[in-house]
């Protein structure tokens, strides 16, 4: 236990924790959306995220940027990030939809038992990860330097870099947008209806297949955005980058109460903070360990997560 | 046609016929790792290895991996298949069994070299029951607080548990020696003509594991055909109704967890003996998932299905590795200036993933399901057909 | 069926102080003592009092939503009463674990059938019979003598009960493939396998035609004659009137009447509850 270290670098840990948490939250939304509607742990979601990281890299390649190029001007960097967000989000959404159509929909039509879905999810995950592994020769790819690394501001030790600001701002925008979409739009009402009672919703004229496809697309969009910022934050990507991050994001979703959108956001944020504080307290090797201990301890006391499960209820 | 098939079912044959069939099957299994066996069968080597033999890896090693994975899927089948508890971190118990054997039998173990808790390394045979017992204890300790959680939460908690064990194994330096691991793990006893029977050759381990599997199948079958097995199935089908019919559901769920853990730990002790070196890399989450897919691919809730699944998840990828050699497939392909590795060896898990999806679409109950469960899923299918 | 406790068998439970005036010299088996059950703001049961005597068939009736099934659930440990207590043979059962209550001698069926659908008819009953078996994992693992004896007894009991409820020959059918009426009967057999002193039937005749109802009445009487006390929730008045010894009427979670079938049938409050108007105004 190194409490001195925790106190000394508390501001820095908090800022990085929030940034990490924003990425977790975005990926966690994908798990939570699908779970809320289908009661299914979409194991392949981590690969949706992984594909996003490569799509972003590809986009930057089109800008002539790679890990060896000079840092571009702020304008170009922001433009490159924006383009990467669009490309990665669309690609990830397409992959998510592809998974739904090939791996889940046929099983639904056959009314397969829930565990069969888990296996096709694992199968889809294997396929995506291994194909990506083969295409990339299983080596890590560096990410071009984009935003300046100098802190944007530094108030009493609370230094925040442009990357961190962008990550958090975009994540919040996405969260608010998604919340609005689910709460206020017609399509969002359909999602909530199916989440609450699929059969009644179908009787009331909600197109279940379309709602499910929409849920996968939304989750994919969020994962794509998260992928861009994970690239920038970690500076590299690899074919198996989704595995641990997906696991963490799923934990975040459970922490907040799976099926609950705001819970996913809260869970991601908490997990990011806990991890960073824990790495200061116990050494960075133990951060994942502490994250899981926290998760299990929380589930002992609040068996349905912090905010409970309720995509269907009005609070979403 | 179906009447004939019904009469030809093994379970409907007269007893002597059944026993001799079983004995023949066993002899076949024991002969399997011997190269001369294939030659004796008249299968020409080379091309002919396609259906059975693997060329990229020693057949005995492949078979031994199959056996300890089969043991794991037998254990997990009790938890997932019978009691219906989704355990995603089953490899954690395997790790406990493997580490206990390694710590107690290796002369390099820190229990000896630094702490002097042991005078000298213990024999493998003594370490095995301790490994099983501690795995069982781990199962109880994990199950006690968590089995009150509902299905999907249990899944994430078990997953977290296995990750925690792996991280401890990786980072912990005082006893487990971190990533450097523990070498020179003890072997099972026995010698033939002055040479130790168990050393690095996988063949005797395969035979030993085969015997262990037979024993495990016998014991698990006793369980599932007793009130314990009935209680598990009742819990899986309707936990509340089971409780109201007098089934102490928590106690039996805990038993399922403990038994699964003990079998998983047993598998770990066998593996550690052959691997001779234990560190954290084997305990990755992918392996837990592999075992789970073995159980569901084979057919959850059926012992034979678990065995089939455990065999296939190892054998299909291994076999795919040799297929490329046999057919002379290109290893790489060059598209637009970049070279990609398309050998079956590197794509084998992708192909395996496709196999998983296809099997689940066409046989959601698994390849060799419990007959009753298969009927149940057929029933659901019909309901859909009527509904649409 | 020799294992069923019979009426004249002395109970080793201490003699409880009866909360209601005892009808004759019969022994109370189950006492519902001032039970109130609230869910949030909803009062599902409101100071309900009644006593079940050994060997009788008691009907529990009332309009939909009167709290009959809630009352059942409180008795079998699914809910714990907010106030008051439920005593079985003088011992308090509210708050006990559910499988222990079953072991003490209260068994039930469900309004919407809850068999174990993939298990065979025989296995379903065996699960009930296992309630009193003491074999655990070690015994089953090694097939110890007690395990084999219990398996044999359980199997025999299961066969006997299938005959008793009148669905012999369906031993190896999966429960879900049985016809609806047989499933209801199988539920009764499964409950009887736990060797209850009190059998609670939750609308056992729902969906039955008159002939089947007639058979069911015979079955219920037969079960009572083996020494089992029966508590019956039922909508069909003719069935309730024909088979019960006494009737308790609930409305909006309160007891509004209690007495013999004839007394209850003549009670204007009961008419009002069922028809929505006082009997004399109709």
């Amino acid at each position: 236990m190194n409490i001195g270290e925790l106190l000394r670098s508390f501001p820095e840990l908090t800022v990085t924790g929030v940034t990490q948490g924003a990425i977790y939250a975005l990926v966690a939304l994908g798990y939570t959306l699908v779970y809320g509607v289908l009661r299914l742990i979409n194991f392949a979601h981590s690969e949706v995220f992984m594909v996003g990281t490569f799509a972003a890299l590809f986009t930057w390649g089109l800008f002539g940027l790679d890990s060896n190029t000079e840092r571009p001007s702020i304008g170009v960097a922001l433009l490159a990030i924006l383009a990467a967000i669009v490309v990665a989000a669309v690609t990830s959404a397409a992959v998510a939809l592809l998974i739904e159509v090939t791996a889940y929909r046929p099983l639904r039509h056959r009314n397969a038992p829930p565990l069969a879905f888990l296996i096709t999810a694992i199968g889809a995950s294997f396929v995506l990860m291994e194909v990506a592994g083969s295409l990339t020769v299983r080596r890590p790819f560096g990410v071009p330097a984009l935003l300046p690394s100098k802190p944007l501001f530094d108030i009493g030790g609370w230094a925040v870099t442009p990357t961190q600001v962008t990550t958090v701002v975009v994540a919040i925008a996405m969260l608010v947008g998604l919340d609005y979409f689910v709460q206020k739009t017609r399509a969002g009402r359909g999602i909530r209806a199916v989440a609450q009672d699929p059969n009644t919703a179908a009787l009331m004229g909600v197109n279940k297949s379309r709602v499910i496809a929409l849920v996968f697309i939304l989750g994919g969009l969020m994962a794509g955005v998260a992928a861009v910022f994970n690239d920038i934050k970690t500076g590299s990507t690899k074919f198996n980058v989704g595995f641990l991050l997906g696991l963490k994001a799923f934990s975040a979703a459970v922490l907040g109460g799976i099926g609950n959108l705001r819970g996913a956001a809260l869970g991601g944020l908490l997990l990011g903070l806990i991890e960073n504080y824990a790495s200061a307290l116990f050494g960075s090797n133990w951060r994942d360990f502490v994250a899981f201990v926290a998760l299990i301890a929380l589930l002992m006391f609040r068996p349905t997560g912090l905010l409970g499960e309720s995509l269907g209820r009005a609070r979403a | 046609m179906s009447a004939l098939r019904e009469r030809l079912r093994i379970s409907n044959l007269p007893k002597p016929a059944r026993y001799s069939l079983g004995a023949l099957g066993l002899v076949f299994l024991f002969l399997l790792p011997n190269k001369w066996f294939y030659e004796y069968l008249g299968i020409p080597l080379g091309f002919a290895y396609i259906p059975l033999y693997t060329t990229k890896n020693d057949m005995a090693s492949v078979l031994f991996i199959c056996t300890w994975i089969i043991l794991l899927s037998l254990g997990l089948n009790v938890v997932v298949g019978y009691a219906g508890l989704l355990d995603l971190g089953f490899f954690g118990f395997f790790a406990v069994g493997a580490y206990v054997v390694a710590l107690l039998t290796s002369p390099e173990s820190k229990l000896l070299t630094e702490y002097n808790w042991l005078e000298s390394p213990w024999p493998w045979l003594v370490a095995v029951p301790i490994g099983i017992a501690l795995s069982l204890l781990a199962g109880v300790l994990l199950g006690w607080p968590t089995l009150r959680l509902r299905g999907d939460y249990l899944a994430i908690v078990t997953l977290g548990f296995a990750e925690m064990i792996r991280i401890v194994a990786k980072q912990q330096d005082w006893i487990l020696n971190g990533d450097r691991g523990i070498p020179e793990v003890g072997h099972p006893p026995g010698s033939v003509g002055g040479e130790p029977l168990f050393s690095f050759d996988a063949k005797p381990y395969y035979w030993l594991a085969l015997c262990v599997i037979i024993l495990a199948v016998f014991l698990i079958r006793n369980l599932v055909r007793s009130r314990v097995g009935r209680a598990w199935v009742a819990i899986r089908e309707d936990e509340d109704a089971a409780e109201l019919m007098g089934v102490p559901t928590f106690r039996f769920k805990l038993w399922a967890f403990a038994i699964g853990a003990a079998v998983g730990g047993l598998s770990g002790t066998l593996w550690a003996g052959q691997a001779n070196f234990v560190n954290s890399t084997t305990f990755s989450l992918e392996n837990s998932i592999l075992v789970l897919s073995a159980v569901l691919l084979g057919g959850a809730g059926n012992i034979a299905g678990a065995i089939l699944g455990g065999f296939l998840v190892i054998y299909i990828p291994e076999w795919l590795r040799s297929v490329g050699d046999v057919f002379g497939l290109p290893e790489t392909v060059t598209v637009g200036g970049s070279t990609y590795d398309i050998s079956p060896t590197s794509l084998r898990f992708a192909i395996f993933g496709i196999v998983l999806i296809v099997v689940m679409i066409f046989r959601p109950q698994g390849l060799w399901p419990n007959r009753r469960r298969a009927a149940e899923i057929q029933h659901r299918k019909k309901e859909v057909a009527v509904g649409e | 069926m020799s294992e069923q406790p019979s009426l004249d068998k002395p109970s080793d439970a201490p003699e409880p102080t009866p909360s209601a005036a005892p009808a004759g010299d019969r022994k109370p088996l189950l006492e519902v003592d001032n039970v109130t059950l609230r869910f949030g703001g909803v009062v599902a049961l409101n100071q309900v009092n009644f006593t079940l005597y050994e060997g009788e068939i008691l009907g529990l009736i009332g309009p939909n939503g009167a709290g009959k099934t809630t009352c059942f659930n409180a008795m079998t440990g699914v809910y714990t009463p907010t106030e008051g207590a439920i005593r079985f043979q003088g011992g308090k059962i509210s708050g006990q674990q559910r499988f222990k209550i079953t072991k003490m001698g209260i068994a039930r069926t469900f309004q919407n059938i809850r068999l174990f659908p993939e298990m065979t008819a025989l296995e379903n009953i065996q699960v009930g019979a296992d309630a009193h078996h003491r074999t655990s994992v070690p015994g089953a693992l090694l097939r110890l003598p007690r395990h084999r004896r219990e398996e044999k007894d359980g199997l025999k009991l299961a066969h006997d009960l299938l005959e008793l409820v009148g669905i012999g020959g369906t031993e190896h059918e999966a429960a879900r493939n049985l016809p609806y009426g047989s499933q209801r009967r199988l539920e009764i057999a499964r409950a009887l396998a736990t060797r209850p002193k009190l059998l609670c039937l939750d609308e056992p005749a729902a969906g039955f035609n008159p002939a089947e109802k007639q058979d069911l009445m015979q079955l219920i009487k037969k079960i009572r004659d083996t020494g089992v006390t029966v508590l019956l929730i039922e909508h069909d008045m003719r069935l309730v009137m024909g088979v019960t010894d006494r009737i308790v009427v609930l409305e909006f979670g309160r007891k509004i009447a209690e007495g013999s079938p004839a007394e209850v049938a003549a009670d204007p409050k009961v008419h009002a509850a069922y028809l929505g108007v006082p009997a004399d105004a109709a």
Side-chain angles (χ1 to χ4, degrees), chain C residues 44-210:
Chain C
L45 291 177
N46 196 347
Q47 299 184 339
V48 174
N49 272 302
F50 63 87
T51 304
L52 254 152
Y53 296 97
E54 277 188 8
E56 72 174 343
I57 301 178
L58 180 77
L60 187 62
I61 66 170
N64 279 328
K68 294 168 303 208
T69 300
T70 312
C71 191
F72 251 46
N73 283 337
M75 281 159 50
T76 49
V78 178
Y79 304 136
T80 307
T82 322
E83 287 160 32
I86 297 172
R87 277 188 294 275
F88 185 68
Q89 294 186 316
K92 200 173 152 191
I93 59 168
S94 18
Q96 286 266 20
Q97 276 177 299
R98 289 174 291 173
F99 69 90
K100 286 193 181 141
I101 294 176
T102 310
K103 253 179 111 167
M104 286 164 69
I106 302 181
R108 67 172 292 178
T109 66
F110 298 87
Q111 195 173 338
N112 30 12
I113 300 172
R114 286 178 77 173
L115 291 164
F116 306 118
E118 291 172 35
M119 298 175 102
T120 64
L122 211 55
E123 286 171 325
N124 264 282
I125 307 180
Q126 279 178 291
V127 169
D130 287 336
H132 289 281
H133 289 171
R134 288 168 52 221
T135 302
S136 189
V137 169
L141 211 53
L142 305 171
R143 302 183 58 78
L144 296 179
R146 185 173 71 196
H147 160 69
R148 281 187 297 210
R149 194 178 60 239
E150 286 180 348
E151 283 293 296
K152 221 175 86 197
D153 292 350
L155 209 59
K156 166 109 177 33
L157 180 64
H159 279 289
D160 290 349
L161 285 172
L162 269 182
E163 293 296 333
L164 178 82
V165 300
I167 51 170
T170 59
E171 282 84 353
H172 302 294
E173 285 283 335
R176 67 173 307 135
N177 296 336
L178 290 175
Y180 176 79
S182 305
Q183 291 195 14
R184 284 238 175 262
R185 285 161 179 275
L186 181 56
E187 264 210 327
I188 296 176
R190 183 179 67 176
L192 283 175
T194 66
R195 287 185 242 144
K197 300 185 179 74
L198 170 63
L199 175 66
C200 305
L201 301 173
D202 198 346
E203 297 195 25
F208 275 17
N209 65 33

Side-chain angles (χ1 to χ4, degrees), chain B residues 29 32-34 38 49-71 200-207 209-210 213 271 274 290 307-323 348:
Chain B
L29 288 175
L32 212 49
N34 296 307
Y38 299 87
Y49 278 156
I50 302 174
L52 286 170
Y53 222 69
T54 56
T55 56
K56 284 277 165 124
N57 206 338
D58 165 36
M59 183 68 174
S61 303
V62 174
L63 285 173
F64 177 61
I65 300 174
C66 285
T67 49
W68 60 259
I69 290 279
I70 285 175
L71 259 183
F200 297 97
D201 183 12
K203 216 186 285 178
Y205 284 95
Y206 164 70
W207 288 328
L210 210 54
I213 288 177
W271 171 79
Q274 200 265 339
L290 197 71
I307 293 175
L308 178 69
F311 175 74
L312 287 180
V313 294
I314 298 303
Y315 196 75
I316 293 179
E318 275 304 329
W319 181 75
L320 283 169
R321 276 167 38 141
S322 10
V323 164
R348 66 191 197 279

Side-chain angles (χ1 to χ4, degrees), chain A residues 16-62:
Chain A
T16 44
V18 169
T19 315
Q20 183 67 59
I23 293 172
Y24 286 157
L26 284 174
V27 182
L29 286 172
Y31 286 103
T32 256
L33 277 166
V34 170
Y35 187 90
V37 169
L38 289 178
R39 298 274 173 272
L40 160 75
I41 303 173
N42 180 13
F43 250 92
H45 191 61
S46 50
E47 307 328 315
V48 170
F49 168 84
M50 179 274 292
V51 172
T53 64
F54 282 104
L57 214 57
F58 174 79
T59 317
W60 291 324
L62 296 183

Side-chain angles (χ1 to χ4, degrees), chain B residues 310-372:
Chain B
F311 175 74
L312 287 180
V313 294
I314 298 303
Y315 196 75
I316 293 179
E318 275 304 329
W319 181 75
L320 283 169
R321 276 167 38 141
S322 10
V323 164
D325 289 0
V326 173
F327 291 108
L329 295 180
E331 294 271 307
T332 56
V333 64
T334 306
V335 180
S338 344
T339 306
Y340 297 108
D341 185 356
I342 58 148
S343 63
T345 310
S346 80
L347 282 179
R348 66 191 197 279
F349 273 104
I351 299 170
F352 177 62
I354 294 172
V355 170
L356 282 183
I357 297 177
V358 170
V359 170
M360 281 301 127
I361 289 176
F362 291 103
R363 280 186 79 88
Q365 69 274 41
L367 291 170
W368 192 347
N370 188 313
R371 277 163 87 191
R372 224 183 295 137

Side-chain angles (χ1 to χ4, degrees), chain A residues 210-254:
Chain A
R210 198 176 297 165
V211 165
I212 290 169
L214 179 64
V215 160
F216 275 90
I217 290 173
L218 287 174
L221 291 174
M222 300 290 151
V225 176
V228 174
F229 289 105
N230 196 61
D231 273 355
I232 301 175
K233 179 173 178 294
T234 59
S236 78
T237 185
K238 210 181 160 190
F239 73 103
N240 63 2
V241 66
F243 186 77
L244 189 61
L245 197 125
L247 188 59
K248 293 285 190 54
F250 178 55
S251 305
V254 172

Side-chain angles (χ1 to χ4, degrees), chain A residues 65-211:
Chain A
L65 299 167
D66 62 47
S67 50
N68 299 322
T69 48
E70 285 284 306
R71 192 186 298 282
S73 68
I74 285 277
V76 174
L78 284 178
L79 191 66
I81 290 174
L82 189 67
I85 287 178
V86 172
V87 174
V90 170
T91 316
S92 287
V95 172
L97 187 63
L98 184 74
I99 293 171
E100 139 69 3
V101 172
T102 54
Y104 298 142
R105 189 168 290 181
L107 285 177
R108 256 201 324 278
H109 283 299
R110 287 154 188 270
N111 210 357
L115 285 177
F117 286 88
L118 196 64
I119 290 301
T120 52
I122 292 168
S125 182
F126 270 158
V127 173
L128 287 167
M129 186 150 72
E130 292 298 319
V131 168
S134 292
L135 290 179
T136 61
V137 212
R138 292 170 200 271
R139 71 176 175 85
F141 283 76
V143 169
L146 291 164
L147 293 169
S149 54
K150 206 165 66 90
L152 206 55
F153 56 84
D154 185 342
I155 304 162
W158 292 78
V160 181
T161 66
T163 302
Q164 289 165 334
V165 172
T166 329
T167 308
V168 174
V169 167
V170 173
I172 290 175
M174 296 300 288
L175 285 167
V176 171
L178 183 68
D179 203 50
Y180 177 85
F181 182 82
V182 172
Q183 294 300 327
K184 296 283 153 66
T185 64
R186 200 183 134 79
R189 220 164 29 240
I191 293 177
R192 281 184 289 139
V194 175
Q196 212 160 47
D197 186 341
N199 295 328
T200 310
L203 289 175
M204 293 297 143
V206 178
N207 184 335
K208 202 174 142 194
S209 282
R210 198 176 297 165
V211 165

Side-chain angles (χ1 to χ4, degrees), chain A residues 265-290:
Chain A
L266 179 66
L269 189 66
L270 266 182
L271 198 64
L273 287 173
I274 291 172
E275 271 188 16
N276 276 278
Y277 295 147
S279 61
L281 273 178
F282 306 100
S284 58
N285 288 340
W286 293 95
R287 55 183 276 167
D288 297 343
F289 188 84
V290 175

